[in-house]
Amino acid sequence: MEDEEIKLLKNVPIKRKMIKIKNFVQPSPSTDFAWWLGALAGDGHVAFDRVTLKVIDKDFANNFMKIGEDIFKIKSKLKEYLRQDPLIKRKLQYIIIFYSQRLSQYLGDWSWLNWNKTMENKFSWILGDQDYTSSFLSGYFDAEGSVVCKYYKKQHRFLAKYAAQPEHIKRCLSNMLDKIKIKHSVYSEGIQICGLQNLKRFAALIKSSISRKQERLNAIKNIKVRYEEEYKLAQDLRTQNLKINQISKLLDVPLSTIEGWFYKKHKPHQIIRGQLLNE
């Protein structure tokens, strides 16, 4: 009897839960892929069977979703989540999810403590090309960057910042900024970029998918220095032994301004032409 039961059990089909493993296309190096990885390093997470990004800007979320679907050839899901914390001003959060175990295995560890090692070991092409490096830093800027405008001593002063606290992450970002020849300083909470010409280079190389951040970068591009050309001409005229009042008349610049340039070592003042954008 027992043998007959065993035979019967052997013939009973066992229902197994099938796990659908999504295939993806392994992309070639590109500026879009570099941007996507920069965004992942800043605000993303790679789990066993999914890749997620949680952000508060919908244009950022849409760009991450669009580029990811284009380069990996798989679909993602967009979810909206209302945060309940009363101290948070912008309560709506957007979550992008790519469900793919194979994609997770391909990407590796992109946690905030280890993403620099993964990039250097698996995606070193980012560091070998200025366009790829700039694109990665653009994605990271969308996640962890900001542009601040302050009014100080009758002048508008801009700062660009990257938030980063682990020292090895600061070093990694610092090395990447060095590669694209952007001067910067490292401080306790991250990295900051200042100085007009340096900021103009930063704004030219770094692009943001977030409209409010790109508007601030555009504001930096539109900064004009009053009397910039006249200042250079004044230096040349001075070598020709012209007097200060003669230079003032020739260039149609107030005498007090010319005196400041030569006697007090003043530099031309910065003025903003166009709309000033505040945080």
Side-chain angles (χ1 to χ4, degrees):
M1 186 69 180
E2 287 182 3
D3 291 340
E4 290 180 5
E5 287 179 355
I6 292 171
K7 288 180 181 179
L8 287 171
L9 286 172
K10 284 182 178 179
N11 294 326
V12 173
I14 299 173
K15 292 184 179 180
R16 298 182 185 275
K17 188 178 179 181
M18 299 299 293
I19 299 173
K20 188 177 180 180
I21 299 177
K22 291 185 179 179
N23 287 321
F24 73 98
V25 174
Q26 185 171 320
S28 300
S30 67
T31 53
D32 278 347
F33 190 17
W35 178 90
W36 195 89
L37 290 174
L40 181 68
D43 275 339
H45 176 67
V46 179
F48 171 73
D49 61 349
R50 68 194 64 186
V51 180
T52 59
L53 183 86
K54 295 181 181 180
V55 295
I56 58 174
D57 292 280
K58 192 168 186 178
D59 39 8
F60 182 17
N62 285 337
N63 201 49
F64 186 82
M65 179 172 63
K66 179 181 180 301
I67 288 177
E69 290 183 351
D70 286 347
I71 63 177
F72 298 123
K73 308 303 180 188
I74 59 174
K75 291 294 183 181
S76 63
K77 287 189 177 181
L78 170 63
K79 297 181 179 181
E80 296 184 1
Y81 173 70
L82 193 62
R83 295 179 291 178
Q84 302 300 320
D85 190 339
L87 299 177
I88 298 175
K89 291 181 180 180
R90 302 179 67 185
K91 296 185 180 298
L92 192 59
Q93 187 177 54
Y94 303 94
I95 305 173
I96 309 297
I97 307 173
F98 288 87
Y99 290 100
S100 174
Q101 181 181 340
R102 289 178 177 171
L103 177 59
S104 294
Q105 290 172 346
Y106 166 70
L107 291 172
D109 185 359
W110 283 84
S111 62
W112 71 295
L113 285 174
N114 294 319
W115 66 256
N116 63 312
K117 295 178 183 177
T118 303
M119 180 188 65
E120 291 166 2
N121 293 332
K122 297 188 69 173
F123 305 96
S124 58
W125 50 267
I126 292 171
L127 303 174
D129 181 278
Q130 186 180 89
D131 290 340
Y132 295 156
T133 304
S134 298
S135 295
F136 181 93
L137 288 171
S138 294
Y140 198 84
F141 180 78
D142 276 350
E144 299 292 344
S146 62
V147 175
V148 181
C149 179
K150 297 181 178 180
Y151 192 71
Y152 178 70
K153 291 186 178 180
K154 298 183 180 180
Q155 293 189 44
H156 298 292
R157 300 187 183 271
F158 281 89
L159 290 173
K161 295 182 177 181
Y162 283 103
Q165 290 193 344
E167 291 300 322
H168 64 284
I169 297 299
K170 291 179 191 176
R171 286 195 298 272
C172 178
L173 293 171
S174 179
N175 290 337
M176 295 178 83
L177 287 167
D178 285 339
K179 285 181 181 295
I180 59 174
K181 296 179 172 59
I182 291 177
K183 296 177 182 177
H184 56 279
S185 58
V186 179
Y187 69 114
S188 59
E189 296 179 3
I191 292 174
Q192 69 178 23
I193 299 100
C194 55
L196 180 57
Q197 296 306 318
N198 195 41
L199 279 168
K200 279 181 170 289
R201 178 170 176 78
F202 180 83
L205 292 175
I206 302 303
K207 308 292 189 298
S208 178
S209 67
I210 301 172
S211 57
R212 60 187 173 85
K213 289 188 179 183
Q214 187 58 49
E215 285 173 358
R216 292 184 175 91
L217 291 172
N218 290 339
I220 291 174
K221 292 180 187 178
N222 294 330
I223 294 176
K224 304 296 181 184
V225 180
R226 191 179 185 187
Y227 298 138
E228 185 173 24
E229 292 301 320
E230 290 84 350
Y231 177 79
K232 295 175 183 176
L233 289 171
Q235 306 301 316
D236 292 337
L237 292 171
R238 189 61 169 164
T239 62
Q240 300 174 26
N241 297 322
L242 269 69
K243 294 181 179 179
I244 297 296
N245 60 337
Q246 292 176 309
I247 295 174
S248 174
K249 289 178 181 179
L250 280 171
L251 299 179
D252 193 23
V253 176
L255 180 61
S256 59
T257 300
I258 298 290
E259 288 174 339
W261 292 348
F262 290 108
Y263 299 143
K264 299 180 181 179
K265 304 299 181 184
H266 289 172
K267 294 290 179 68
H269 289 295
Q270 296 177 17
I271 60 172
I272 308 297
R273 292 180 185 172
Q275 184 180 6
L276 177 65
L277 298 162
N278 297 316
E279 279 290 328

